[in-house]
Amino acid sequence: MSAGSLRIALVGNPNCGKTALFNQLTGGRQKVANYAGVTVERKEGRFTAPSGRLLHVLDLPGTYSLDATSPDEQITHDVCAGLYPGEAPPDLIVCVADATNLRLHLRFVLEVKRLGRPMVLALNMMDAARRRGIVIDVAELSRRLGMPVVETIAVRREGVKALVAQVDGAMPEAPPAQPDDAASRADLHAQVRELLAATVAMPRATDAVDDALDRWALHPVFGLAILAVVMFLVFQAVYSVGKPMTDAIADGFDWMGTHVAAWMPAGPLQSLVTDGLFGGIGTVLGFLPEILVLFLFILTLEESGYLPRAAFLLDRWMVAVGLTGRSFIPLLSSFACAIPGIMGTRSITDPRDRLATILVAPLMTCSARLPVYALLIGAFIPSHRVLGVFNLQGVVLFALYAIGILGAMLVGYVMKRIRRDKSEHALLMELPSYRLPKPRDVAIGLYERGMIFLKRLTGVILALTVIMWFISTFPGPPPGATEPAIEYSIAGHLGRALQHIFAPIGFNWQISLSLIPAFAARETAVAALATVYAVGGDAATGGLGHALTVNFPLASALSLLVWFAFAPQCMSTLAVIRRETASWRNVAISFGYMFALAYVASFITYHVAVWLS
Ligand SMILES: Nc1nc2c(ncn2[C@@H]2O[C@H](COP(=O)(O)OP(=O)(O)OP(=O)(O)O)[C@@H](O)[C@H]2O)c(=O)[nH]1
Ligand SMILES: [Mg+2]
């Protein structure tokens, strides 16, 4: 340890507030949510304590015990035991415990103590504990454990002051290291009982409000009905709240585009700015409000503690289709993006269940597909009222999310049928307390999502858009050409070559072409179509939506929507599958089955739609 700095590791059972504490200490913006298994990687941050000392803080995945059974728990174990490659053991372990659930959490505290390293116990969630009338004799607990004990409330700024003072003060003495064997393990239970009896007065074991809510939320029939209604309302909200804002942004960009164009001399540069930048990037940017509205709901649900209940309700169904209730949370993260979803599977203990979840995660509709859906739905689906109250566009969007989920169930079921090991695992999961979402955490989450979207927009999407503009513009038409200029460009040739593959499912060459950049980032399909049609001169009047309705039959649009629901995901997703499973074979399986599924489903959709119309 260098004289001026100290390395601290935050450890504890899942969902006890380690990350909330980490964010308060370091000003970090790591994800906090009300269920187990949110953090799956070690995250480092630092801050300067009042004494001027630099404190390095490590946030670790939660773990129920130090004999790690899943990849994220392994990380925690290795860091604490000083076995993590390339990392010295921490100078001080801050063990975080949920004060409302000490029966479970103290066991882990005792386990960590046996490592024989200097440690401090943070009794977190003291606000909730006091509300429930739990009284803890902190001085006695500290004396019996032989370590400093600090009460904290990680969701309030002032709630962590005492902890900072403690870690910034004199280093606590390390407890004696103890061997880790079966006998001493059995002993832990007895010790926890003794500690609880001597230091904690618990008026009632569980919260009356939680119990009352759970009678409805976990009811096998009403519970599922509530879940369906909640999900349906979320998608309605995306349309009724997000759409007007999206339209306003699109109009604003159109207006700016025409004005900027008026200032510039005609030529390739003007075309790049108006067709490529305002046409392409502007169109994608317009979908930010819809993404934010969707995530406002998802983050609120995450913080409320409702989601693990949904996992519990769906467990039976998930097992029936070859997944587990534990797959629920990673699959849910995949609605943001398959990448965090696939990384989130690290909390699934069984490698077989984990792989099944990884393979179906990309079928969940990620937020990058939302612009594509929104564009096509806006152009082709009339905004009728259904049953007087629901917006038809919202219903179609809901249906698209639903076919992704149904597709995942189908694929899970097929995998279950073909694998040899048919054992099933019961879901063991703690249900967290219900909690009113903290505006700050939701705001952090929204900010992070928004920034991810904007960074993609100014990075990969911008680059791809410029490339699309370039290949759509050059080479220019030969003298005396009769067709639109774009027909002679690289894009024209490439698109027509690809069309051989995609014509049977109803795609014209422009769409076939837009699938190439979409493989790098889904949203670019929108930017690419905007650029291609703008360069081709079709989008000049009435915007991209209009250009699409003129150039595309409805059957092609439906086929394209279905294609995007199932098609192999972007390259980054495949790269993460490779990293998480260390196997190219899984990448090939994933790509291959999704391509086949998408092609067959689009083929059927296209031909049925043509036949019906
Ligand atoms: N009322 C209250 N809620 C808290 C407190 N600390 C954390 N929370 C909430 O508890 C939940 C879990 O917090 P996290 O920080 O994500 O927990 P974690 O220990 O990092 O969980 P994993 O990463 O899954 O191991 C979130 O909903 C927080 O808002 C607290 O002191 N009081
Ligand atoms: Mg965490």
Side-chain angles (χ1 to χ4, degrees):
M1 162 173 85
S2 74
S5 78
L6 190 71
R7 306 179 64 254
I8 302 170
L10 296 172
V11 302
N13 286 168
N15 209 35
C16 63
K18 298 173 295 298
T19 304
L21 211 51
F22 175 85
N23 287 349
Q24 288 286 4
L25 290 171
T26 63
R29 285 197 295 262
Q30 295 304 319
K31 183 175 174 72
V32 169
N34 193 6
Y35 50 78
V38 179
T39 309
V40 293
E41 274 188 308
R42 58 182 284 292
K43 279 281 172 342
E44 213 177 313
R46 52 190 176 177
F47 71 103
T48 312
S51 69
R53 196 153 52 149
L54 186 65
L55 302 187
H56 294 268
V57 188
L58 208 54
D59 181 25
L60 292 165
T63 163
Y64 290 107
S65 124
L66 281 182
D67 48 17
T69 53
S70 66
D72 55 343
E73 293 178 350
Q74 189 71 43
I75 299 175
T76 300
H77 170 265
D78 290 355
V79 170
C80 289
L83 300 173
Y84 197 83
E87 190 161 301
D91 301 314
L92 177 67
I93 294 178
V94 173
C95 193
V96 185
D98 175 352
T100 65
N101 192 1
L102 284 177
R103 192 175 300 279
L104 177 72
H105 290 236
L106 276 182
R107 188 182 179 284
F108 185 72
V109 175
L110 292 174
E111 225 181 305
V112 177
K113 182 183 165 192
R114 292 191 309 195
L115 292 173
R117 298 191 181 277
M119 71 186 277
V120 170
L121 173 60
L123 276 184
N124 194 35
M125 312 243 182
M126 278 310 294
D127 51 337
R130 288 198 192 106
R131 246 194 334 266
R132 288 195 208 171
I134 299 171
V135 181
I136 303 169
D137 183 345
V138 174
E140 179 63 12
L141 185 63
S142 166
R143 195 184 64 78
R144 285 180 176 247
L145 284 172
M147 66 180 76
V149 177
V150 187
E151 301 182 19
T152 60
I153 302 171
V155 286
R156 290 196 209 133
R157 195 137 230 5
E158 73 273 23
V160 298
K161 277 220 182 98
L163 181 65
V164 173
Q166 177 63 50
V167 298
D168 194 25
M171 180 68 108
E173 217 168 290
Q178 281 165 30
D180 186 33
D181 51 44
S184 67
R185 254 161 212 282
D187 209 33
L188 284 183
H189 283 291
Q191 286 183 40
V192 169
R193 263 202 305 278
E194 213 175 289
L195 275 173
L196 284 175
T199 61
V200 183
M202 218 157 337
R204 51 180 185 270
T206 55
D207 193 298
V209 180
D210 279 12
D211 288 349
L213 286 175
D214 276 345
R215 261 195 292 282
W216 290 96
L218 295 181
H219 189 280
V221 179
F222 296 125
L224 283 174
I226 292 172
L227 178 62
V229 169
V230 167
M231 290 327 236
F232 190 77
L233 290 180
V234 168
F235 291 107
Q236 283 293 315
V238 169
Y239 260 87
S240 29
V241 185
K243 191 71 186 352
M245 291 195 259
T246 293
D247 290 345
I249 293 183
D251 290 348
F253 265 86
D254 267 0
W255 183 86
M256 279 198 290
T258 24
H259 280 257
V260 171
W263 276 85
M264 297 177 72
L269 193 62
Q270 187 203 36
S271 150
L272 173 63
V273 170
T274 55
D275 302 339
L277 300 187
F278 282 97
I281 301 290
T283 314
V284 184
L285 183 66
F287 295 102
L288 182 60
E290 268 147 341
I291 289 175
L292 291 184
V293 171
L294 181 64
F295 280 94
L296 176 65
F297 283 96
I298 292 186
L299 290 166
T300 307
L301 285 176
E302 280 189 339
E303 264 299 279
S304 68
Y306 178 65
L307 290 184
R309 270 113 185 145
F312 181 83
L313 275 174
L314 294 176
D315 182 51
R316 210 154 51 91
W317 305 93
M318 304 275 266
V319 170
V321 298
L323 301 167
T324 92
R326 278 186 175 265
S327 315
F328 181 77
I329 304 270
L331 290 182
L332 196 95
S333 324
S334 304
F335 282 109
C337 172
I339 295 168
I342 289 169
M343 288 169 61
T345 62
R346 290 183 195 174
S347 59
I348 300 176
T349 324
D350 183 315
R352 185 202 67 188
D353 290 343
R354 181 164 179 242
L355 180 62
T357 311
I358 288 177
L359 289 180
V360 300
L363 291 175
M364 302 295 119
T365 304
C366 65
S367 59
R369 265 175 278 189
L370 195 55
V372 183
Y373 286 173
L375 173 72
L376 292 171
I377 291 175
F380 288 95
I381 309 293
S383 126
H384 285 161
R385 300 263 132 205
V386 183
L387 302 177
V389 272
F390 303 121
N391 180 328
L392 180 62
Q393 297 183 327
V395 173
V396 171
L397 186 65
F398 177 73
L400 282 166
Y401 276 76
I403 64 168
I405 297 170
L406 291 177
M409 291 169 73
L410 179 75
V411 172
Y413 183 73
V414 172
M415 280 194 287
K416 180 177 164 168
R417 295 307 296 263
I418 56 183
R419 71 187 170 213
R420 258 166 270 129
D421 166 18
K422 299 214 189 295
S423 60
E424 289 175 359
H425 305 280
L427 174 69
L428 289 174
M429 182 149 105
E430 255 188 289
L431 294 180
S433 305
Y434 285 106
R435 190 166 287 144
L436 274 182
K438 300 272 173 309
R440 182 172 180 273
D441 288 335
V442 174
I444 288 178
L446 274 184
Y447 173 82
E448 290 295 300
R449 281 296 344 149
M451 287 314 285
I452 290 171
F453 181 80
L454 292 179
K455 274 192 199 128
R456 282 165 68 86
L457 202 62
T458 51
V460 57
I461 299 177
L462 179 64
L464 289 168
T465 305
V466 172
I467 294 174
M468 283 304 290
W469 167 82
F470 182 85
I471 67 169
S472 311
T473 309
F474 299 104
T482 48
E483 298 289 312
I486 193 169
E487 302 277 338
Y488 303 94
S489 66
I490 306 175
H493 291 289
L494 206 58
R496 275 193 299 273
L498 278 175
Q499 207 196 348
H500 292 302
I501 307 175
F502 293 107
I505 58 176
F507 295 177
N508 62 16
W509 72 259
Q510 288 92 338
I511 307 182
S512 307
L513 179 68
S514 73
L515 299 181
I516 304 179
F519 189 57
R522 305 260 111 186
E523 311 91 319
T524 18
V526 169
L529 284 173
T531 307
V532 169
Y533 279 117
V535 174
D538 284 329
T541 49
L544 180 57
H546 179 72
L548 289 181
T549 41
V550 172
N551 284 286
F552 261 28
L554 176 63
S556 297
L558 294 177
S559 168
L560 183 59
L561 282 173
V562 171
W563 173 266
F564 267 91
F566 294 131
Q569 279 318 286
C570 58
M571 288 181 293
S572 334
T573 303
L574 295 177
V576 168
I577 294 179
R578 155 77 198 141
R579 196 182 74 201
E580 293 291 313
T581 66
S583 143
W584 283 111
R585 188 168 159 262
N586 289 333
V587 175
I589 292 176
S590 171
F591 182 90
Y593 98 76
M594 284 196 282
F595 193 94
L597 185 64
Y599 201 89
V600 170
S602 293
F603 187 85
I604 296 173
T605 309
Y606 179 65
H607 288 278
V608 169
V610 167
W611 182 66
L612 285 179
S613 58

